[in-house]
C-alpha cells in the first residue's frame, strides 16, 4: 500500500483504459497521502501545515483563499466516493448513492452563492484538523507507532486535532481574522508534531528479525 504513494501509476497500463481501477488507485493515493506514517508523506504534511501557519500569520487574506480549497476538495472526494458506490450498487443502495451525489452538488452550489469565503476557510481548517486527528488516532491504535512514547504522542496529537477541528467547524459566530492567530498556532503545533517520527528503527528491526 505504501508504494502507491510514491509510484501510483507506474507499470499499470490498464489504468488508462479502466476508469474504475483508476478511481480506486486515486482513492488509495489520497488515503496514503493523508494518513500514511511513512517519512515522505508525513514530512509533506508537516511542510504544508508550516506553510499554512506562516500564511495565517503574515498573509491571512491569502490563507483565506487557500483554506476553502480544502473544503471544496473534500466535497469533490465525497461525491466521487458516492459515484464509485453507485457503480457497484443496485436497487435502493444505488438510489441512495445517487441521492448523495445530488445532495453534495446542490449543497456545493448553495454554499458557493451564500457562504462567505472566510467561513469556508474555517471549515477547510476544521476538515484538515479532523483528518490529522484521524491519522494520529490510527497511528496510535493500529500499531503504526512504536513504543509507549510514540503511541502517546500520536494519541495526544489526535485528541488535540479532533477537538480543535470540531471547534473550527462549529464556531460559526467567530470572525475569521479573530481566529487567524489561533489557526496559525494550531498549524505550527501540528507541523512540529507531524514531523516527529512515529517508528523507532531499532524496535522495527527487532520485530522483523
Amino acid at each position: 500500500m505504501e508504494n502507491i504513494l510514491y509510484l501510483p501509476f507506474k507499470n499499470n497500463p490498464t489504468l488508462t483504459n479502466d476508469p474504475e481501477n483508476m478511481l480506486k488507485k486515486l482513492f488509495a493515493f489520497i488515503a496514503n497521502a493523508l494518513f500514511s506514517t511513512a517519512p515522505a508523506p508525513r514530512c509533506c504534511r508537516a511542510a504544508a501545515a508550516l506553510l499554512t501557519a506562516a500564511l495565517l500569520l503574515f498573509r491571512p487574506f491569502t490563507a483565506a483563499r487557500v483554506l476553502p480549497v480544502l473544503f471544496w476538495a473534500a466535497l469533490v472526494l465525497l461525491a466521487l466516493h458516492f459515484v464509485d458506490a453507485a457503480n457497484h450498487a443496485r436497487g435502493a443502495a444505488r438510489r441512495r448513492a445517487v441521492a448523495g451525489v445530488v445532495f453534495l452538488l446542490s449543497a456545493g452550489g448553495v454554499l458557493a452563492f451564500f457562504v462567505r469565503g472566510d467561513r469556508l476557510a474555517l471549515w477547510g481548517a476544521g476538515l484538515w484538523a479532523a483528518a490529522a486527528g484521524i491519522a494520529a488516532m490510527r497511528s496510535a491504535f493500529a500499531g503504526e507507532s512504536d513504543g509507549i512514547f510514540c503511541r502517546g504522542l500520536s494519541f495526544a496529537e489526535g485528541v488535540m486535532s479532533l477537538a480543535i477541528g470540531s471547534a473550527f467547524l462549529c464556531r460559526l459566530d467567530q470572525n475569521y481574522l479573530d481566529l487567524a492567530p489561533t489557526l496559525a498556532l494550531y498549524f505550527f503545533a501540528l507541523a512540529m508534531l507531524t514531523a516527529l517520527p512515529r517508528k523507532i528503527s531499532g524496535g522495527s528491526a527487532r520485530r522483523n528479525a
Side-chain angles (χ1 to χ4, degrees):
M1 183 66 74
E2 295 288 346
N3 292 333
I4 295 174
L5 182 62
Y6 305 107
L7 300 171
F9 308 120
K10 184 179 180 181
N11 298 328
N12 199 343
T14 61
L15 286 176
T16 56
N17 300 321
D18 189 352
E20 180 180 331
N21 193 18
M22 184 143 185
L23 190 61
K24 290 180 180 178
K25 290 291 186 182
L26 177 63
F27 280 134
F29 176 81
I30 292 170
N32 278 299
L34 292 175
F35 304 123
S36 175
T37 56
R42 196 176 65 243
C43 289
C44 288
R45 292 197 301 268
L50 192 60
L51 177 60
T52 303
L55 286 176
L56 285 162
L57 275 179
F58 303 110
R59 293 290 187 273
F61 291 105
T62 301
R65 291 191 292 270
V66 172
L67 287 173
V69 175
L70 301 174
F71 179 77
W72 294 118
L75 282 184
V76 170
L77 289 174
L78 193 55
L80 287 175
H81 173 74
F82 278 119
V83 169
D84 184 57
N87 289 334
H88 293 85
R90 294 292 182 271
R94 185 183 182 92
R95 289 193 294 273
R96 286 194 296 268
V98 172
V101 175
V102 173
F103 172 77
L104 287 172
L105 293 177
S106 302
V110 170
L111 290 172
F113 282 100
F114 296 105
V115 178
R116 301 196 315 264
D118 59 345
R119 191 74 70 210
L120 292 179
L122 292 179
W123 291 351
L127 290 173
W128 187 340
I134 293 170
M137 287 297 188
R138 175 181 172 182
S139 177
F141 291 105
E144 296 179 0
S145 296
D146 289 342
I148 297 298
F149 175 76
C150 290
R151 285 178 181 269
L153 183 65
S154 295
F155 180 77
E157 179 187 348
V159 170
M160 179 191 73
S161 295
L162 288 173
I164 292 179
S166 300
F168 290 163
L169 289 170
C170 297
R171 293 304 300 272
L172 303 181
D173 58 329
Q174 285 288 340
N175 187 297
Y176 165 77
L177 290 178
D178 293 338
L179 283 179
T182 304
L183 287 167
L185 180 62
Y186 164 71
F187 281 113
F188 179 77
L190 179 64
M192 298 299 102
L193 286 171
T194 305
L196 291 175
R198 293 295 186 271
K199 285 186 178 293
I200 301 172
S201 58
S204 300
R206 284 193 298 270
R207 283 203 309 271
N208 294 330

